[in-house]
Amino acid sequence: MTRSANLGFPRIGLHRELKHALEAYWKGAIDAAALNAAGRQLRARHWQLQRAAGIDVIPSNDFSFYDHVLDMTATLGAAPPRFAGITDPTALYFAMARGTEAAPAMEMTKWFDTNYHYIVPELQAGQSFRLATSKVVDEFLEARSLGIETRPVLVGPVTWLSLGKSKVAALDPLSLLDRVLPVYAELLATLKATGAEWVQIDEPILALDLTAAQRAALRRSYDLLQAVAPRIMLASYFGALGDNLDLAAGLHVAGLHIDLVRAPEQLPAVLKALPADKLLSVGVIDGRNIWRADLDGQLALVSAAWDSVGPDRLEIAPSCSLLHSPVDLDAETDLDAELKSWLAFATQKLAEISALTLAMQKGRPAARPVFEASAAAALSHRQSPRIHKPAVALRAAADIRLARPSPFAVRREAQQQRFGLPAFPTTTIGSFPQTPEVRERRAAFRHGRIDATAYHRFLETETERAVRLQEQIGLDVLVHGEFERSDMVEYFGEQLDGFAFTGNGWVQSYGSRCVKPPVIYGDVSRPAPMTVRWSVYAAALSDRPMKGMLTGPVTILQWSFVRVDQPRAETCRQIALAIRDEVLDLEAAGIGIIQIDEPALREGLPLRRSDWTGYLRWAVDCFRLTASGVADDTQVHTHMCYAEFNDIMAAIAELDADVISIETSRSDMELLEAFRDFSYPNEIGPGIWDIHSPRVPGQGDMEALLLKAAEAIPPAQLWVNPDCGLKTRGWPEVEAALRNLVETARRLRGSGAR
Ligand code: GLN
Ligand code: ZN
């Protein structure tokens, strides 16, 4: 019979219990036993909740105290050698995640195209592996002791290795495959002996462009593992199998999970390719977003699968683990009923999966109430005037020139006339320290303990202090400090139409850290100026140019839950038009330099290379739309961080910002390699202070970086700045580092380098 299945449940807990337990443990406020008890409680609650929701196939080992990739690393006994002295497994685990005095933490990066961060496996040539923890089996038995038979989840060997990196020398991770597979085999055999009927093995790399070596590694792995393992459900997600379809369908596994939310169009091809002895798990409920599903539409998709594979070879599941969804919509007490009726969080998604399964087993009438609620929500969504605003659509359809009135060379002249900046101009990226006092005042204002006048007076004082300090230090282009902003996306979302904010919609970002992304539910517009007041206030305090500070449309889109009833490009264009209005208002208010931050431009890149061009086209166009309305002598800046821009350099140049500041200092100007082959046309400030580190760089460090930059970039194009905002730093280090930074620029001017 057709079964309902889940691929993973959020671990963090409805009230972020895991976060609180972890942070208490790290502070020494609770011991390991208490931490483990908190984990056990969450696991039990989540298993029971899934069973109560009618899920037949319930995962285990989807729980993690930090990250599931790190769990696999720990299970394989693959701790890097610098942690060798740590014998206690819990201490070792958190040392790898967070570092110790003696050994820095392992690297962390984004899990495919999500905002979840995993700990990157660190590999060495000739490394050995062993089954080092019993977590997978323990949690399977723990569920069984509660009367729940589960399907353990593992990160597959080829994905685990492919995500890995060597810190010392170039290493082909797959050269370690034959060392890793015996450990997987031992683990899987143990699970089988313990009575597990199925395991879920995740190989999300199946949604990427694969090398011949990766394909061969997948074949070799499953040839070997299927012989000893419980029945394997091989899970792919985050995209279509595409040219990996035949490979995936041919692997020696008992079932294949496919993502039909990201790639519904792949179903017919999968049905054709799937051998008759394999189960098909159809991922039809979106694990990545918060919208209620169109159940009738998804039922049609499931039925098409059913017609082909029959009832006994079919599982109905979310597209991917529900890790990327908030836990429970019922906890939202402040969202209005209409908006709520359009949403589904992890708990509601389980109910949707059950309803679809019931409809397949017994016919749609058996699940009528859930289907009717879905249809009603879809109808109200289609018709709601909160979503569809004819004026916004009309404006978005208008043909607006994407190019500035004049080419850069002409603009540069005009800007030089207006601002008369010295060679190697100095500036910062926008934010100044968000001290506990700033956060405390904001909270007091939000909770009504102080009124708007008092809060604004406080912000004015902070702003003035930042301006005076910048003048004293001698920076050339000042910023107001962003004290009024808690977060660079939230600040704008709260002032734009079409956005909503949840009270408890947390999703795990990394470790105990969670984010609460804004919800873009409807057409976006800007009812009133958002930043002008603060920029104008700050500008009036000083004779030096004051830079206005905005978040760009792609970044706002990328860090939100985005509506799915229209293409992302269209939503992005609406945001771009709203930001364009703000740019023009800043300009009209006399702000001559305006920075539009796009740190998330690169992370929006699609998983497949062949989709990059299409994405970059609309992303670049949206940025240009925000900036193209200003006069030649208004200077547009942009900022990007999180490295690895080399492969999209041409697109970055196409943004045609007059100045870009970019993160480079951590990678020791590695980025600049790209500038040797690609001559960047406009001005650029490669960050010379890694603000992610508490260390205050000396003049010598900064000068060395700048001179290195000057080898690849003509000095006349260079700006001098930190590599990101200073919000997380303290005032004393900011002051010291900025003094060194200004001094570095002065020395270079004096040396006649430009
Ligand atoms: N202007 C923002 C700041 O200075 C930029 C932050 C970012 O790049 N993430 O904080
Ligand atoms: Zn940054």
Side-chain angles (χ1 to χ4, degrees):
M1 198 160 61
T2 301
R3 299 195 300 172
S4 57
N6 187 20
L7 305 192
F9 196 78
R11 318 138 178 163
I12 202 75
L14 179 57
H15 302 294
R16 288 180 292 159
E17 291 89 338
L18 182 59
K19 172 192 179 70
H20 301 132
L22 281 168
E23 290 173 4
Y25 175 74
W26 294 333
K27 270 203 319 244
I30 63 169
D31 62 9
L35 177 65
N36 284 322
R40 218 167 20 247
Q41 224 172 37
L42 283 169
R43 291 190 292 271
R45 189 204 292 167
H46 296 157
W47 285 323
Q48 274 148 4
L49 183 153
Q50 292 175 80
R51 182 161 68 179
I55 299 299
D56 302 317
V57 182
I58 296 174
S60 60
N61 196 45
D62 55 337
F63 178 85
S64 173
F65 274 121
Y66 205 94
D67 160 46
H68 52 275
V69 180
L70 179 63
D71 290 349
M72 200 67 234
T73 303
T75 296
L76 295 169
R82 66 178 176 283
F83 300 105
I86 310 173
T87 46
D88 173 61
T90 309
L92 174 62
Y93 181 79
F94 289 126
M96 289 194 280
R98 309 176 68 231
T100 63
E101 295 269 295
M106 292 167 72
E107 192 183 323
M108 181 168 78
T109 195
K110 291 200 178 212
W111 175 243
F112 297 83
D113 59 353
T114 73
N115 281 326
Y116 173 85
H117 301 70
Y118 68 93
I119 303 284
V120 180
E122 256 176 62
L123 307 171
Q124 286 101 48
Q127 173 175 5
S128 55
F129 299 91
R130 68 190 173 88
L131 189 52
T133 81
S134 54
K135 175 179 188 288
V136 187
V137 176
D138 292 348
E139 290 181 12
F140 174 77
L141 290 173
E142 189 180 302
R144 177 179 279 172
S145 75
L146 298 169
I148 299 175
E149 286 299 314
T150 56
R151 183 171 71 183
V153 188
L154 304 175
V155 177
V158 186
T159 292
W160 185 81
L161 282 171
S162 298
L163 297 178
K165 279 191 201 162
S166 163
K167 288 221 154 182
V168 272
L171 169 79
D172 171 14
L174 294 178
S175 66
L176 298 172
L177 184 67
D178 283 348
R179 293 169 169 262
V180 167
L181 285 179
V183 186
Y184 270 91
E186 186 186 343
L187 173 60
L188 289 165
T190 311
L191 277 172
K192 190 174 182 177
T194 313
E197 272 184 52
W198 281 89
V199 286
Q200 170 191 327
I201 304 189
D202 288 2
E203 292 284 10
I205 57 158
L206 283 165
L208 306 183
D209 299 316
L210 296 181
T211 62
Q214 284 172 313
R215 294 159 165 271
L218 282 162
R219 279 192 211 97
R220 175 161 174 72
S221 298
Y222 293 96
D223 280 351
L224 234 108
L225 298 179
Q226 58 93 25
V228 294
R231 305 224 281 159
I232 297 171
M233 175 57 75
L234 187 78
S236 68
Y237 40 79
F238 300 154
L241 288 166
D243 59 352
N244 299 323
L245 170 58
D246 287 335
L247 166 75
L251 292 175
H252 279 143
V253 290
L256 181 65
H257 171 84
I258 56 170
D259 185 339
L260 290 181
V261 172
R262 276 284 174 88
E265 72 288 347
Q266 69 174 332
L267 181 62
V270 172
L271 292 173
K272 225 170 114 201
L274 195 76
D277 59 341
K278 281 197 172 73
L279 255 79
L280 182 65
S281 165
V282 288
V284 288
I285 297 298
D286 195 347
R288 297 277 300 267
N289 214 330
I290 51 166
W291 309 103
R292 188 194 276 256
D294 163 15
L295 284 184
D296 279 305
Q298 298 313 79
L299 186 64
L301 208 56
V302 176
S303 302
W306 192 91
D307 287 343
S308 166
V309 301
D312 298 331
R313 288 171 50 215
L314 188 64
E315 268 178 27
I316 301 177
S319 59
C320 59
S321 166
L322 299 176
L323 172 66
H324 312 289
S325 306
V327 179
D328 190 352
L329 184 62
D330 286 346
E332 295 303 323
T333 45
D334 291 345
L335 287 182
D336 65 88
E338 185 186 39
L339 185 59
K340 246 173 116 166
S341 78
W342 298 329
L343 305 180
F345 293 179
T347 307
Q348 288 68 39
K349 288 171 190 290
L350 296 175
E352 294 181 323
I353 292 164
S354 284
L356 283 170
T357 310
L358 196 62
M360 290 314 297
Q361 291 169 343
K362 303 201 174 130
R364 187 180 177 280
R368 178 170 291 136
V370 190
F371 274 80
E372 278 177 359
S374 160
L379 186 69
S380 92
H381 190 270
R382 256 196 311 280
Q383 296 174 342
S384 171
R386 288 168 78 182
I387 294 193
H388 306 283
K389 305 219 167 110
V392 177
L394 203 68
R395 186 162 176 227
D399 189 13
I400 302 173
R401 201 181 135 90
L402 295 176
R404 299 277 297 269
S406 308
F408 176 67
V410 175
R411 300 188 323 248
R412 186 181 202 201
E413 267 308 307
Q415 291 161 22
Q416 190 53 32
Q417 284 288 326
R418 178 170 176 187
F419 302 112
L421 293 173
F424 301 107
T426 53
T427 191
T428 61
I429 308 305
S431 57
F432 268 79
Q434 292 253 332
T435 55
E437 197 196 357
V438 172
R439 275 178 272 136
E440 189 277 317
R441 293 280 88 185
R442 183 179 305 120
F445 172 58
R446 289 205 165 177
H447 295 120
R449 292 196 298 273
I450 58 170
D451 63 11
T453 321
Y455 180 53
H456 289 158
R457 209 175 313 117
F458 168 76
L459 293 175
E460 285 173 3
T461 316
E462 289 295 302
T463 305
E464 175 157 13
R465 171 154 74 127
V467 171
R468 295 290 167 248
L469 182 75
Q470 293 172 79
E471 283 181 323
Q472 250 179 45
I473 292 174
L475 285 148
D476 300 305
V477 173
L478 312 192
V479 298
H480 74 281
E482 302 182 23
F483 300 104
E484 74 287 6
R485 305 181 189 179
S486 56
D487 172 273
M488 64 187 291
V489 171
E490 184 181 54
Y491 181 76
F492 291 92
E494 282 179 339
Q495 301 186 71
L496 290 167
D497 276 351
F499 281 73
F501 290 83
T502 63
N504 196 50
W506 298 102
V507 286
Q508 192 177 11
S509 169
Y510 64 89
S512 66
R513 268 283 278 275
C514 300
V515 293
K516 201 154 57 80
V519 177
I520 307 180
Y521 66 85
D523 287 348
V524 175
S525 58
R526 188 199 68 146
M530 303 181 283
T531 66
V532 175
R533 155 202 176 125
W534 293 109
S535 287
V536 167
Y537 172 79
L541 295 172
S542 178
D543 295 334
R544 302 192 178 214
M546 181 64 58
K547 184 160 66 165
M549 205 58 58
L550 304 173
T551 302
V554 183
T555 298
I556 293 179
L557 187 84
Q558 193 61 29
W559 291 349
S560 300
F561 283 123
V562 182
R563 61 193 284 196
V564 288
D565 62 323
Q566 65 182 22
R568 283 170 79 82
E570 227 161 279
T571 304
C572 197
R573 185 172 167 91
Q574 294 178 352
I575 304 170
L577 286 165
I579 301 296
R580 176 185 171 94
D581 291 343
E582 189 71 13
V583 168
L584 294 175
D585 280 349
L586 282 170
E587 182 184 50
I591 305 297
I593 303 185
I594 301 168
Q595 177 172 311
I596 306 163
D597 291 329
E598 283 291 19
L601 183 82
R602 190 183 194 288
E603 56 181 76
L605 275 181
L607 294 174
R608 296 275 193 163
R609 278 260 175 186
S610 54
D611 299 327
W612 281 21
T613 319
Y615 162 77
L616 287 170
R617 184 70 273 141
W618 64 254
V620 167
D621 283 353
C622 282
F623 180 89
R624 291 169 63 114
L625 189 57
T626 62
S628 62
V630 297
D632 287 350
D633 68 352
T634 295
Q635 189 171 68
V636 173
H637 289 219
T638 189
H639 165 70
M640 279 175 206
C641 41
Y642 308 123
E644 284 184 52
F645 293 107
N646 302 23
D647 48 4
I648 58 161
M649 204 46 94
I652 292 177
E654 267 191 74
L655 297 176
D656 197 25
D658 298 304
V659 182
I660 181 172
S661 61
I662 199 157
E663 174 192 303
T664 46
S665 54
R666 243 187 312 183
S667 51
D668 207 20
M669 297 279 155
E670 204 179 88
L671 173 86
L672 298 172
E673 287 309 310
F675 290 94
R676 292 186 207 278
D677 319 323
F678 181 89
S679 75
Y680 185 77
N682 303 359
E683 299 189 2
I684 179 162
I688 58 166
W689 164 22
D690 172 10
I691 65 89
H692 299 92
S693 149
R695 191 176 156 270
V696 172
Q699 268 178 47
D701 304 320
M702 296 208 250
E703 195 173 318
L705 284 174
L706 206 55
L707 288 172
K708 203 161 168 189
E711 287 168 22
I713 300 168
Q717 283 170 257
L718 280 176
W719 281 62
V720 179
N721 46 258
D723 70 357
C724 197
L726 306 175
K727 144 181 179 172
T728 57
R729 303 269 59 103
W731 280 105
E733 34 179 325
V734 162
E735 183 171 346
L738 288 180
R739 285 195 193 282
N740 290 344
L741 183 136
V742 167
E743 201 41 50
T744 303
R746 290 193 177 138
R747 290 240 296 260
L748 256 82
R749 282 170 206 157
S751 75
R754 177 172 173 176

